[in-house]
Amino acid sequence: MLTNTEILHIALQQSAIESCCAPGDFLKNENVVAVSRENAGRRAYLSEPYAFDLTSYGGNAVACVREDLQEVAYSYLAKHSVAHLFETPALHELDVMLAPFGLKTKFQAEYFLPDARYVRICASPYETRVLTPAAFGGLYRTEWGNALCAERKERDMLCVGAYDCGRLVALAGASADCDTMWQIGVDVLPEYRGRGLAKTVTSRLAQEVFARGKVPFYCAAWSNLPSVRNALSCGFRPAWVQLTARPVEKTESPAGAFGFPSPH
C-alpha cells in the first residue's frame, strides 16, 4: 500500500493540474492566485477550465481564475481567513463580487484521502462480492446513483456489493475520475441503513482500489453527516475543500454537466 506521503503527493499533483499551479503551492503559508487555462489530465467531469475556483488543503487557498477575475480573487483572499473563505456570509460577498462577470458560486465539497494507518476491511455478517463492469452493467438504476454514474459508464471501474440472501442491498463503486485517483461513491437500500453496510462495502472497495495501484478518494457535502461518518470510519481523513463558481444561467443545471458530481 502507498504511504500517506505518497498519497498526498499524488493528490497534490492532481489538484495542481486542475488549478494550473505547482503542487507545492497548496502547502504555502500565503494564498496563491493562478490563471486558469486548458490543461490535460483534469478529472473527467471537469470538461473546461475553471472560471473561478478556490481549493484549500488547510494552510492556504489557491484560486484558479480567469485572467479578468484575478483582482476579484486577490481582493476576496485578502479580506477573509482561510477558515472562513468557504462559508457564509463570506460566500454571499463573493457572489456580489462575481455578479458583474455573470458568475455565481455553485459547487462546494469536502474531499477525503485514505490514511494508510487506519484503512482496513471492516468485518460484516453480510456476503460481499467484487464486481467488474461485466457484472454491474445492469445496475445503472436510481437506487445505485451514487455508486455508479450512467453519464460516464466508461469511467466506472469496480464495485463491491453486499448481499442479503442473494439480494444486493449495498453497493460501493469506484470511478476512474483521473489517471491516478479513483473516486468512491456508495449507496445502501433504505431498509438496510444503520447496519454498517456502507462501511462494509466502502472499506473493501478502498483496498481493492489500492491493490490496482490507484488512490481511492471520497467526496461528501459538509451537511451529509452520515457520509462523512462513513468516510471517517473507513480510515479516510479530510484532505481538501473546494468551491467553484459557474455562469449564472448554469447554476441550476445538473452537477454531472460540469464540476463536481453530486456529493455522496
PDB file of all heavy atoms in Angstrom, residues 7 45 51 54 58 60 65 68 73 82 87 106 115 119 122-123 145 148 178 220 244 258:
ATOM      1  N   ILE A   7       0.437   9.227  -0.974  1.00  0.00           N
ATOM      2  CA  ILE A   7      -0.968   9.503  -1.278  1.00  0.00           C
ATOM      3  C   ILE A   7      -1.195  11.007  -1.407  1.00  0.00           C
ATOM      4  O   ILE A   7      -1.822  11.472  -2.372  1.00  0.00           O
ATOM      5  CB  ILE A   7      -1.872   8.915  -0.178  1.00  0.00           C
ATOM      6  CG1 ILE A   7      -1.856   7.383  -0.245  1.00  0.00           C
ATOM      7  CG2 ILE A   7      -3.308   9.435  -0.311  1.00  0.00           C
ATOM      8  CD1 ILE A   7      -2.493   6.709   0.959  1.00  0.00           C
ATOM      9  N   TYR A  45     -14.999  14.862 -15.136  1.00  0.00           N
ATOM     10  CA  TYR A  45     -16.189  15.710 -15.159  1.00  0.00           C
ATOM     11  C   TYR A  45     -15.842  17.195 -15.214  1.00  0.00           C
ATOM     12  O   TYR A  45     -16.738  18.039 -15.260  1.00  0.00           O
ATOM     13  CB  TYR A  45     -17.097  15.428 -13.957  1.00  0.00           C
ATOM     14  CG  TYR A  45     -16.386  15.254 -12.642  1.00  0.00           C
ATOM     15  CD1 TYR A  45     -16.007  16.348 -11.877  1.00  0.00           C
ATOM     16  CD2 TYR A  45     -16.083  13.978 -12.175  1.00  0.00           C
ATOM     17  CE1 TYR A  45     -15.350  16.182 -10.671  1.00  0.00           C
ATOM     18  CE2 TYR A  45     -15.430  13.805 -10.969  1.00  0.00           C
ATOM     19  CZ  TYR A  45     -15.064  14.906 -10.222  1.00  0.00           C
ATOM     20  OH  TYR A  45     -14.404  14.727  -9.028  1.00  0.00           O
ATOM     21  N   ALA A  51     -13.618  28.990 -14.292  1.00  0.00           N
ATOM     22  CA  ALA A  51     -13.767  30.438 -14.368  1.00  0.00           C
ATOM     23  C   ALA A  51     -13.307  31.055 -13.049  1.00  0.00           C
ATOM     24  O   ALA A  51     -12.556  32.042 -13.027  1.00  0.00           O
ATOM     25  CB  ALA A  51     -15.209  30.824 -14.643  1.00  0.00           C
ATOM     26  N   LEU A  54     -11.732  27.950  -5.882  1.00  0.00           N
ATOM     27  CA  LEU A  54     -10.891  28.025  -4.695  1.00  0.00           C
ATOM     28  C   LEU A  54     -10.671  26.613  -4.155  1.00  0.00           C
ATOM     29  O   LEU A  54     -11.629  25.857  -3.988  1.00  0.00           O
ATOM     30  CB  LEU A  54     -11.550  28.872  -3.612  1.00  0.00           C
ATOM     31  CG  LEU A  54     -11.803  30.355  -3.911  1.00  0.00           C
ATOM     32  CD1 LEU A  54     -12.566  30.990  -2.748  1.00  0.00           C
ATOM     33  CD2 LEU A  54     -10.504  31.086  -4.166  1.00  0.00           C
ATOM     34  N   GLY A  58      -5.831  23.336   3.655  1.00  0.00           N
ATOM     35  CA  GLY A  58      -5.859  23.701   5.065  1.00  0.00           C
ATOM     36  C   GLY A  58      -5.015  24.891   5.459  1.00  0.00           C
ATOM     37  O   GLY A  58      -5.411  25.681   6.311  1.00  0.00           O
ATOM     38  N   ASN A  60      -3.566  27.301   3.300  1.00  0.00           N
ATOM     39  CA  ASN A  60      -3.791  28.486   2.458  1.00  0.00           C
ATOM     40  C   ASN A  60      -4.889  28.160   1.463  1.00  0.00           C
ATOM     41  O   ASN A  60      -5.511  27.092   1.535  1.00  0.00           O
ATOM     42  CB  ASN A  60      -2.498  28.887   1.736  1.00  0.00           C
ATOM     43  CG  ASN A  60      -2.160  27.939   0.578  1.00  0.00           C
ATOM     44  OD1 ASN A  60      -2.644  26.804   0.508  1.00  0.00           O
ATOM     45  ND2 ASN A  60      -1.326  28.394  -0.338  1.00  0.00           N
ATOM     46  N   VAL A  65      -8.400  31.144 -11.578  1.00  0.00           N
ATOM     47  CA  VAL A  65      -9.442  32.029 -12.107  1.00  0.00           C
ATOM     48  C   VAL A  65      -9.097  32.495 -13.515  1.00  0.00           C
ATOM     49  O   VAL A  65      -7.945  32.451 -13.943  1.00  0.00           O
ATOM     50  CB  VAL A  65      -9.622  33.265 -11.193  1.00  0.00           C
ATOM     51  CG1 VAL A  65      -9.966  32.841  -9.774  1.00  0.00           C
ATOM     52  CG2 VAL A  65      -8.373  34.144 -11.200  1.00  0.00           C
ATOM     53  N   ASP A  68      -9.405  37.843 -16.226  1.00  0.00           N
ATOM     54  CA  ASP A  68     -10.134  39.062 -15.862  1.00  0.00           C
ATOM     55  C   ASP A  68     -10.692  39.027 -14.438  1.00  0.00           C
ATOM     56  O   ASP A  68     -11.275  40.017 -13.977  1.00  0.00           O
ATOM     57  CB  ASP A  68     -11.273  39.322 -16.858  1.00  0.00           C
ATOM     58  CG  ASP A  68     -12.292  38.187 -16.888  1.00  0.00           C
ATOM     59  OD1 ASP A  68     -11.899  37.034 -16.658  1.00  0.00           O
ATOM     60  OD2 ASP A  68     -13.475  38.450 -17.135  1.00  0.00           O
ATOM     61  N   ALA A  73     -10.166  37.768  -7.138  1.00  0.00           N
ATOM     62  CA  ALA A  73      -9.569  36.729  -6.304  1.00  0.00           C
ATOM     63  C   ALA A  73      -8.652  37.329  -5.242  1.00  0.00           C
ATOM     64  O   ALA A  73      -8.728  36.968  -4.057  1.00  0.00           O
ATOM     65  CB  ALA A  73      -8.804  35.737  -7.174  1.00  0.00           C
ATOM     66  N   VAL A  82      -8.475  31.786   5.684  1.00  0.00           N
ATOM     67  CA  VAL A  82      -8.755  30.517   5.004  1.00  0.00           C
ATOM     68  C   VAL A  82      -9.922  29.793   5.667  1.00  0.00           C
ATOM     69  O   VAL A  82     -10.750  29.165   4.998  1.00  0.00           O
ATOM     70  CB  VAL A  82      -7.492  29.617   5.001  1.00  0.00           C
ATOM     71  CG1 VAL A  82      -7.813  28.246   4.434  1.00  0.00           C
ATOM     72  CG2 VAL A  82      -6.381  30.270   4.209  1.00  0.00           C
ATOM     73  N   GLU A  87     -17.338  29.688   3.666  1.00  0.00           N
ATOM     74  CA  GLU A  87     -18.601  29.666   4.391  1.00  0.00           C
ATOM     75  C   GLU A  87     -19.310  31.008   4.276  1.00  0.00           C
ATOM     76  O   GLU A  87     -18.715  32.021   3.910  1.00  0.00           O
ATOM     77  CB  GLU A  87     -18.357  29.326   5.865  1.00  0.00           C
ATOM     78  CG  GLU A  87     -17.551  30.369   6.623  1.00  0.00           C
ATOM     79  CD  GLU A  87     -17.396  30.038   8.095  1.00  0.00           C
ATOM     80  OE1 GLU A  87     -17.669  28.893   8.489  1.00  0.00           O
ATOM     81  OE2 GLU A  87     -17.008  30.931   8.862  1.00  0.00           O
ATOM     82  N   LYS A 106     -21.350  27.831  -6.984  1.00  0.00           N
ATOM     83  CA  LYS A 106     -22.242  26.689  -7.164  1.00  0.00           C
ATOM     84  C   LYS A 106     -21.774  25.462  -6.403  1.00  0.00           C
ATOM     85  O   LYS A 106     -22.423  25.005  -5.479  1.00  0.00           O
ATOM     86  CB  LYS A 106     -22.403  26.344  -8.648  1.00  0.00           C
ATOM     87  CG  LYS A 106     -23.346  25.154  -8.862  1.00  0.00           C
ATOM     88  CD  LYS A 106     -23.595  24.842 -10.316  1.00  0.00           C
ATOM     89  CE  LYS A 106     -24.589  23.688 -10.437  1.00  0.00           C
ATOM     90  NZ  LYS A 106     -24.873  23.332 -11.842  1.00  0.00           N
ATOM     91  N   ASP A 115      -6.102   7.307   5.078  1.00  0.00           N
ATOM     92  CA  ASP A 115      -4.948   7.295   5.981  1.00  0.00           C
ATOM     93  C   ASP A 115      -4.449   5.854   6.028  1.00  0.00           C
ATOM     94  O   ASP A 115      -5.149   4.968   6.528  1.00  0.00           O
ATOM     95  CB  ASP A 115      -5.371   7.772   7.366  1.00  0.00           C
ATOM     96  CG  ASP A 115      -4.203   7.934   8.329  1.00  0.00           C
ATOM     97  OD1 ASP A 115      -3.225   7.175   8.209  1.00  0.00           O
ATOM     98  OD2 ASP A 115      -4.274   8.821   9.201  1.00  0.00           O
ATOM     99  N   VAL A 119      -6.795   2.491   7.233  1.00  0.00           N
ATOM    100  CA  VAL A 119      -7.648   1.862   6.222  1.00  0.00           C
ATOM    101  C   VAL A 119      -7.574   0.343   6.377  1.00  0.00           C
ATOM    102  O   VAL A 119      -6.489  -0.238   6.359  1.00  0.00           O
ATOM    103  CB  VAL A 119      -7.212   2.267   4.802  1.00  0.00           C
ATOM    104  CG1 VAL A 119      -7.985   1.481   3.764  1.00  0.00           C
ATOM    105  CG2 VAL A 119      -7.441   3.757   4.586  1.00  0.00           C
ATOM    106  N   CYS A 122     -13.575  -3.718   6.934  1.00  0.00           N
ATOM    107  CA  CYS A 122     -14.432  -3.846   8.107  1.00  0.00           C
ATOM    108  C   CYS A 122     -15.278  -5.115   8.010  1.00  0.00           C
ATOM    109  O   CYS A 122     -15.935  -5.355   6.999  1.00  0.00           O
ATOM    110  CB  CYS A 122     -15.336  -2.620   8.226  1.00  0.00           C
ATOM    111  SG  CYS A 122     -14.432  -1.054   8.364  1.00  0.00           S
ATOM    112  N   ALA A 123     -15.236  -5.909   9.051  1.00  0.00           N
ATOM    113  CA  ALA A 123     -15.969  -7.172   9.066  1.00  0.00           C
ATOM    114  C   ALA A 123     -17.473  -6.937   9.024  1.00  0.00           C
ATOM    115  O   ALA A 123     -17.979  -5.919   9.506  1.00  0.00           O
ATOM    116  CB  ALA A 123     -15.604  -7.968  10.312  1.00  0.00           C
ATOM    117  N   GLY A 145     -27.414   5.338  -7.685  1.00  0.00           N
ATOM    118  CA  GLY A 145     -26.997   6.539  -8.397  1.00  0.00           C
ATOM    119  C   GLY A 145     -25.736   7.202  -7.875  1.00  0.00           C
ATOM    120  O   GLY A 145     -25.129   8.016  -8.574  1.00  0.00           O
ATOM    121  N   LEU A 148     -22.684   4.410  -9.031  1.00  0.00           N
ATOM    122  CA  LEU A 148     -22.467   4.323 -10.474  1.00  0.00           C
ATOM    123  C   LEU A 148     -22.943   5.602 -11.146  1.00  0.00           C
ATOM    124  O   LEU A 148     -23.871   6.244 -10.680  1.00  0.00           O
ATOM    125  CB  LEU A 148     -23.215   3.120 -11.056  1.00  0.00           C
ATOM    126  CG  LEU A 148     -22.781   1.740 -10.552  1.00  0.00           C
ATOM    127  CD1 LEU A 148     -23.770   0.667 -11.011  1.00  0.00           C
ATOM    128  CD2 LEU A 148     -21.369   1.411 -11.032  1.00  0.00           C
ATOM    129  N   CYS A 178      -9.607  10.254 -12.806  1.00  0.00           N
ATOM    130  CA  CYS A 178      -8.361  10.682 -13.438  1.00  0.00           C
ATOM    131  C   CYS A 178      -7.410   9.492 -13.454  1.00  0.00           C
ATOM    132  O   CYS A 178      -7.762   8.407 -13.003  1.00  0.00           O
ATOM    133  CB  CYS A 178      -7.757  11.879 -12.707  1.00  0.00           C
ATOM    134  SG  CYS A 178      -7.515  11.631 -10.942  1.00  0.00           S
ATOM    135  N   ALA A 220     -17.779  14.371  -0.048  1.00  0.00           N
ATOM    136  CA  ALA A 220     -19.035  14.491   0.689  1.00  0.00           C
ATOM    137  C   ALA A 220     -19.390  15.953   0.880  1.00  0.00           C
ATOM    138  O   ALA A 220     -18.507  16.804   1.025  1.00  0.00           O
ATOM    139  CB  ALA A 220     -18.927  13.812   2.056  1.00  0.00           C
ATOM    140  N   THR A 244     -16.390  26.173  -6.425  1.00  0.00           N
ATOM    141  CA  THR A 244     -16.328  26.585  -7.821  1.00  0.00           C
ATOM    142  C   THR A 244     -17.547  27.417  -8.189  1.00  0.00           C
ATOM    143  O   THR A 244     -18.676  27.091  -7.811  1.00  0.00           O
ATOM    144  CB  THR A 244     -16.253  25.345  -8.750  1.00  0.00           C
ATOM    145  OG1 THR A 244     -15.052  24.636  -8.476  1.00  0.00           O
ATOM    146  CG2 THR A 244     -16.242  25.758 -10.211  1.00  0.00           C
ATOM    147  N   PHE A 258     -21.016  19.576 -15.429  1.00  0.00           N
ATOM    148  CA  PHE A 258     -19.702  20.180 -15.240  1.00  0.00           C
ATOM    149  C   PHE A 258     -19.442  20.309 -13.742  1.00  0.00           C
ATOM    150  O   PHE A 258     -20.347  20.461 -12.963  1.00  0.00           O
ATOM    151  CB  PHE A 258     -19.631  21.574 -15.872  1.00  0.00           C
ATOM    152  CG  PHE A 258     -18.322  22.285 -15.586  1.00  0.00           C
ATOM    153  CD1 PHE A 258     -17.242  22.092 -16.424  1.00  0.00           C
ATOM    154  CD2 PHE A 258     -18.196  23.101 -14.489  1.00  0.00           C
ATOM    155  CE1 PHE A 258     -16.043  22.721 -16.151  1.00  0.00           C
ATOM    156  CE2 PHE A 258     -16.988  23.732 -14.211  1.00  0.00           C
ATOM    157  CZ  PHE A 258     -15.922  23.542 -15.054  1.00  0.00           C
TER     158      PHE A 258
END
